Amino acid sequence: QERSSGFNFGAYHSLDEIFQEMDQLAAAYPTLVSKLQIGSSFENRPMNVLKFSTGGNKPAIWLDAGIHSREWVTQATALWTANKIASDYGKDPSITSLLDTMDIFLLPVTNPDGYVFSQTKNRMWRKTRSKIPGSLCFGVDPNRNWDAGFGGPGASNNPCSDSYHGPSANSEVEVQSIVEFIKSHGNIKAFITLHSYSQLLMYPYGYKCTKLDDFDELNILANSAAQALTSLYGTNYKVGPICSIIYQASGGSIDWSYDYGIKYSFAFELRDTGLHGFLLPANQIIPTAEETWLGLKTIMEHVRDHPY
Amino acid sequence: RETFVGHQVLEIIPRNEEQIQNLEQLEAQDHLEIDFWRSPTVPEQTVHVRIPFSSLQDVKIFLESQGIAYSVMIKDLQVLLDEENEEMLMNQR
């Protein structure tokens, strides 16, 4: 396969183009990067994950992006990040040491059906595309579908709502595929999910408003990560538990991962002030990815240095 | 392809808990088909909501009747979508 030197990370791309670039990265860095399919979406599109590994069964960090399909800068940031991880290994001592200690799994398009739908039919689509029995409406909000306070406050039981939680926890095959992968891996030490809108860095909980056991550590770490992120372009981030810095929302992924035992569970809401809605101009993709990388790196270094 | 001609995005700043509750009531009105991009949380925190053209009048009247301050953040969403589409086509070329 031809090397991907011509790929424009500063533009939005179709799902096929993203998948092609993932193949290119695996081909360009065969000893470090591989692609694995952890499942298929409702409409049978592959759930493709990039695995960054220097070999052995190491503890790992999970990253996913774009669970709400319309936030295209998220998927674009994930792809830039994939290239950054691959190209910095062996050059950047921090990434080299990280990958010598841990593996990274990156799912750049968590909701592939929604992503395609948002590019072809409805630019504002954020849900999956599953058919809801007994309803004319389609889709479930995949970040209300995890088994963490499922069906509680901050999620809708109306299938036509944008925050519909679905008929049952893990009803969405996209969510179920990730849950099964994390459980079968058995050694995931950090779970980081990338979203976009409002510039926030959050940790559990969202389904309840109680303080978590690791509050102090996660709060200090999240603040350091946000500071690192802000240092590049001055983008202002708010930091805190989901419940207090956004609102109570049940069935979210990082609540599930934390309750499952993954201490370092975080959610980023990347750069988007709202002025452009979910239409962040393409010339902001790379700056968004660059600043996010500094935050991600801060968290990943901490995870590497604080095994548990 | 669904179009968003005439859809507006409003920025709303609720001043107190009562206004937040009013916005939550608004969110529960399914027939309005409004889409909160940033939901009501605490007083003085901005809320962003996309409103279809057909619901604009109802929503604005509701906000004004409750004394809730708002401004138009995006005047016509489809205009932005068309610009974005144009840019994507250019990038593809």
Side-chain angles (χ1 to χ4, degrees):
Chain A
Q1 286 184 306
E2 196 180 338
R3 174 73 186 97
S4 61
S5 56
F7 189 82
N8 182 3
F9 288 99
Y12 292 116
H13 294 278
S14 68
L15 185 69
D16 287 344
E17 288 165 347
I18 290 176
F19 283 170
Q20 272 172 28
E21 180 56 20
M22 288 168 70
D23 286 335
Q24 299 277 18
L25 282 170
Y29 301 96
T31 56
L32 181 68
V33 186
S34 55
K35 188 182 85 174
L36 42 127
Q37 187 179 341
I38 62 163
S40 300
S41 66
F42 182 80
E43 292 176 342
N44 214 25
R45 295 185 174 89
M47 302 275 291
N48 285 331
V49 169
L50 286 174
K51 179 182 181 184
F52 301 83
S53 176
T54 54
N57 289 319
K58 298 192 179 82
I61 291 170
W62 170 267
L63 297 170
D64 65 68
I67 197 168
H68 290 141
S69 42
R70 65 190 180 185
E71 305 158 0
W72 292 355
V73 73
T74 324
Q75 294 90 341
T77 294
L79 206 56
W80 182 96
T81 303
N83 187 57
K84 181 74 175 163
I85 295 169
S87 58
D88 274 10
Y89 178 72
K91 293 179 192 156
D92 177 338
S94 166
I95 291 307
T96 307
S97 140
L98 178 71
L99 287 171
D100 286 342
T101 316
M102 306 189 80
D103 294 339
I104 299 174
F105 293 93
L106 170 62
L107 175 62
V109 187
T110 305
N111 178 1
D113 295 347
Y115 189 68
V116 170
F117 199 73
S118 73
Q119 292 208 341
T120 54
K121 298 281 186 349
N122 178 341
R123 179 64 186 85
M124 292 299 122
W125 193 257
R126 68 180 239 134
K127 300 198 283 182
T128 61
R129 289 297 300 163
S130 58
K131 182 74 193 87
I132 309 303
S135 171
L136 289 173
C137 294
F138 285 80
V140 165
D141 180 339
N143 205 38
R144 300 288 185 280
N145 190 241
W146 299 69
D147 194 5
F150 176 80
S156 172
N157 59 8
N158 175 356
C160 298
S161 163
D162 270 334
S163 58
Y164 175 49
H165 50 55
S168 58
N170 298 342
S171 63
E172 300 315 284
V173 66
E174 296 83 355
V175 171
Q176 178 66 23
S177 300
I178 299 172
V179 168
E180 277 174 10
F181 176 78
I182 300 276
K183 286 182 173 175
S184 66
H185 185 280
N187 205 10
I188 301 286
K189 297 298 183 187
F191 185 108
I192 304 170
T193 185
L194 302 179
H195 298 228
S196 289
Y197 209 66
S198 308
Q199 296 99 235
L200 307 169
L201 178 49
M202 298 173 291
Y203 45 85
Y205 283 110
Y207 74 88
K208 56 185 176 182
C209 295
T210 51
K211 209 171 171 181
L212 72 176
D213 293 344
D214 300 296
F215 177 86
D216 290 340
E217 184 184 1
L218 297 198
N219 188 48
I220 290 168
L221 175 55
N223 274 292
S224 308
Q227 252 174 17
L229 187 155
T230 302
S231 68
L232 193 60
Y233 296 113
T235 306
N236 189 27
Y237 260 58
K238 273 192 185 171
V239 175
I242 296 170
C243 182
S244 57
I245 64 164
I246 303 193
Y247 45 81
Q248 199 169 0
S250 57
S253 65
I254 65 167
D255 283 357
W256 172 79
S257 59
Y258 184 80
D259 280 348
Y260 183 65
I262 303 173
K263 177 163 71 165
Y264 298 112
S265 291
F266 293 97
F268 282 77
E269 292 277 356
L270 308 187
R271 183 197 289 212
D272 191 339
T273 57
L275 191 60
H276 301 277
F278 295 98
L279 321 167
L280 197 67
N283 63 10
Q284 289 196 48
I285 294 173
I286 290 176
T288 301
E290 287 172 334
E291 66 187 12
T292 305
W293 173 242
L294 298 181
L296 281 175
K297 215 164 83 155
T298 303
I299 293 174
M300 293 195 293
E301 285 165 353
H302 183 92
V303 176
R304 176 197 63 199
D305 298 338
H306 295 80
Y308 65 96
Chain B
R1 187 190 284 259
E2 189 165 340
T3 67
F4 297 84
V5 175
H7 288 222
Q8 291 191 346
V9 179
L10 302 187
E11 182 167 275
I12 301 168
I13 305 179
R15 288 210 184 84
N16 50 43
E17 286 296 339
E18 191 190 342
Q19 292 193 345
I20 288 174
Q21 279 170 15
N22 289 335
L23 291 174
E24 284 168 353
Q25 282 169 13
L26 195 66
E27 193 171 12
Q29 303 294 312
D30 294 331
H31 67 281
L32 295 174
E33 296 182 331
I34 57 179
D35 169 17
F36 275 86
W37 288 0
R38 186 189 279 182
S39 291
T41 51
V42 291
E44 306 300 331
Q45 192 79 263
T46 53
V47 172
H48 296 159
V49 58
R50 174 177 62 84
I51 301 162
F53 180 73
S54 57
S55 302
L56 264 179
Q57 200 178 10
D58 288 349
V59 172
K60 286 181 177 175
I61 287 171
F62 175 83
L63 294 174
E64 285 157 18
S65 70
Q66 304 295 323
I68 301 174
Y70 71 89
S71 58
V72 177
M73 188 168 79
I74 297 175
K75 199 176 169 188
D76 188 329
L77 185 60
Q78 190 60 42
V79 172
L80 279 184
L81 288 168
D82 291 343
E83 285 169 8
E84 182 194 64
N85 211 31
E86 197 52 37
E87 190 175 306
M88 272 191 84
L89 288 172
M90 206 169 73
N91 277 321
Q92 277 164 12
R93 281 200 293 274

